[in-house]
Amino acid sequence: MKLTIKRVPTVVSNYQEDAGERPRGGCGRNCLGHCCLPVSELPVYAFKANPTKLPLQEDAVPTDFFINLLLGQWEDRMTQGLFRYDVTACETKVIPGNLGFVAQLNEGRHLKKRPTEFRVDRVLQPFDSAKFNFTKVGQEEALFQFENSGSDDSYFLRSAAATVADRAPNVVAINVSPIEYGHVLLIPRVLDHLPQRIDQESFLLALHMAAEAARPYFRLGYNSLGAFATINHLHFQAYYLTVPFPVEKAATQRIPLAEGGIKSGVKVSKLMNYPVRGLVFEEGNTLNDLANLVSSACIWLQDNNVPYNVLISDSGRKIFLFPQVKSLLHVLC
């Protein structure tokens, strides 16, 4: 008997069912597209620019502001009834055993699905504005812009222009079909119509978000096309879950690096005695060093049509990379 797996996406926005092209000059519903966003204002969280060193666990005295802001805004959207179900009412438990996998009974997410709009056999595909993308999301689903402060301090503005010097904003928005408490989307340069494809700049942005959250239970993830991504518009997923993931406790074995990799200060290991293959990237002299090495691996996978998943953990200090075939592992191991 042949087993066939049909991959279909979950609805991430209340406007996803209406995916037609929007006219310029105003669509009448205050969206994140060119018709509305350039003349709109949104809150802004500005993160610390160019950190010289990753914070040490024992030295980190993180502020609660970013995580409280994000979760507070998320709860506000929940009280407005923007989510398709109450994820906080879903039963969640840790499965007994050595690995401690987390299981959740989420019937709402399972039932709210629609046919996929892209090929699942190609990791890189051009952006298609006729299909659903995040410019069609209503601004009520957006929480704030996430931008570089240009200084060593973070700050928050309750309202600011959505475009500065013709640069498209990075937007944090809710996922209306959440898989856990605080589930949001980080959408880099939303107006630039970037396809689901990692580069160094976008990956560094995701690391900054993890670092600003400064909480081990706040993680970011990335799915490529062909590895469960549902929208071909560049985005990262993030949410808050107060239990350790099994992979965060898994045994690893160090992989020797070439001289260039050693100078970055990044440690690379492979998962051992774990159900799936994966690489672990840790530490690094700076966030840039860590982002450069991990994004280079992601770019290699993309360019070679290898689907993959990424998990950003431990406030951006540890990244897990899961190729869906063993090609990259053969190269590095």
Side-chain angles (χ1 to χ4, degrees), residues 25 33 55 73 99 145 227 245 301 311:
Q73 290 290 305
L99 294 174
Q145 301 174 70
F245 287 175
L301 291 170
L311 173 67

Side-chain angles (χ1 to χ4, degrees), residues 265-277:
V266 179
K267 297 192 302 182
V268 183
S269 308
K270 60 181 178 179
L271 294 172
M272 303 296 293
N273 303 317
Y274 197 71
V276 298
R277 294 172 179 263

Side-chain angles (χ1 to χ4, degrees), residues 2 33 74 142 149 200 236-237 247 254 292 294 301 303 331:
K2 183 179 180 180
W74 188 88
S149 72
Q200 194 274 344
F236 295 82
Q237 310 271 353
V247 72
R254 188 81 173 266
N292 283 337
V294 180
L301 291 170
D303 290 345
V331 170

Side-chain angles (χ1 to χ4, degrees), residues 65-79 143-144 181-182:
F65 186 83
F66 177 82
I67 195 66
N68 287 341
L69 170 69
L70 185 145
L71 297 178
Q73 290 290 305
W74 188 88
E75 290 183 353
D76 174 74
R77 301 316 190 272
M78 183 168 63
T79 62
L143 303 185
F144 48 81
Y181 177 70

Side-chain angles (χ1 to χ4, degrees), residues 292-324:
N292 283 337
L293 192 58
V294 180
S295 62
S296 294
C298 294
I299 291 168
W300 188 94
L301 291 170
Q302 293 168 168
D303 290 345
N304 287 274
N305 199 37
V306 179
Y308 65 93
N309 309 94
V310 176
L311 173 67
I312 299 173
S313 178
D314 196 17
S315 303
R317 285 183 289 265
K318 182 180 290 188
I319 294 98
F320 299 88
L321 176 60
F322 305 99
Q324 294 302 311

Side-chain angles (χ1 to χ4, degrees), residues 11-287:
V11 174
V12 299
S13 167
N14 289 320
Y15 297 95
Q16 192 166 337
E17 304 296 345
D18 179 16
E21 192 71 74
R22 292 288 174 180
R24 292 180 178 269
C27 67
R29 59 175 180 79
N30 207 27
C31 70
L32 294 180
H34 284 283
C35 52
C36 300
L37 192 58
V39 293
S40 301
E41 292 194 347
L42 291 174
V44 176
Y45 183 92
F47 57 84
K48 293 182 287 292
N50 303 318
T52 57
K53 205 171 186 66
L54 289 170
L56 298 175
Q57 187 73 42
E58 60 269 22
D59 294 339
V61 185
T63 175
D64 291 334
F65 186 83
F66 177 82
I67 195 66
N68 287 341
L69 170 69
L70 185 145
L71 297 178
Q73 290 290 305
W74 188 88
E75 290 183 353
D76 174 74
R77 301 316 190 272
M78 183 168 63
T79 62
Q80 292 182 37
L82 298 184
F83 295 104
R84 295 202 160 201
Y85 50 83
D86 181 5
V87 72
T88 63
C90 296
E91 182 181 359
T92 302
K93 64 179 181 180
V94 178
I95 300 175
N98 295 332
L99 294 174
F101 285 109
V102 180
Q104 180 190 86
L105 177 61
N106 191 331
E107 296 177 283
R109 186 173 177 87
H110 172 71
L111 296 174
K112 303 291 187 179
K113 292 184 176 180
R114 58 196 289 270
T116 185
E117 292 186 315
F118 53 83
R119 296 174 57 181
V120 297
D121 61 341
R122 299 300 304 172
V123 173
L124 298 180
Q125 298 177 43
F127 184 89
D128 187 346
S129 61
K131 296 177 181 178
F132 175 78
N133 60 79
F134 296 113
T135 66
K136 299 175 183 182
V137 168
Q139 289 184 27
E140 70 274 14
E141 295 179 10
L143 303 185
F144 48 81
Q145 301 174 70
F146 186 70
E147 305 295 344
N148 195 319
S149 72
S151 70
D152 294 331
D153 297 312
S154 303
Y155 62 86
F156 178 70
L157 301 176
R158 294 189 179 277
S159 182
T163 55
V164 178
D166 297 324
R167 181 174 175 81
N170 309 308
V171 173
V172 177
I174 61 171
N175 186 324
V176 302
S177 297
I179 60 174
E180 193 45 73
Y181 177 70
H183 189 176
V184 297
L185 306 167
L186 172 62
I187 311 164
R189 294 158 46 195
V190 63
L191 291 175
D192 287 350
H193 292 175
L194 303 173
Q196 187 72 341
R197 176 176 189 161
I198 276 183
D199 57 22
Q200 194 274 344
E201 180 183 359
S202 63
F203 197 79
L204 179 59
L205 183 72
L207 289 189
H208 274 295
M209 187 173 184
E212 290 294 321
R215 289 293 182 273
Y217 295 133
F218 182 79
R219 290 92 164 186
L220 285 91
Y222 175 89
N223 301 322
S224 76
L225 296 183
F228 305 107
T230 62
I231 307 296
N232 188 22
H233 191 175
L234 182 58
H235 65 287
F236 295 82
Q237 310 271 353
Y239 61 89
Y240 193 86
L241 179 63
T242 54
V243 294
F245 287 175
V247 72
E248 294 170 336
K249 302 180 292 180
T252 60
Q253 180 179 322
R254 188 81 173 266
I255 297 174
L257 295 180
E259 183 178 354
I262 294 174
K263 288 182 178 179
S264 71
V266 179
K267 297 192 302 182
V268 183
S269 308
K270 60 181 178 179
L271 294 172
M272 303 296 293
N273 303 317
Y274 197 71
V276 298
R277 294 172 179 263
L279 296 174
V280 186
F281 299 79
E282 300 177 80
E283 301 180 5
N285 299 324
T286 66
L287 278 181

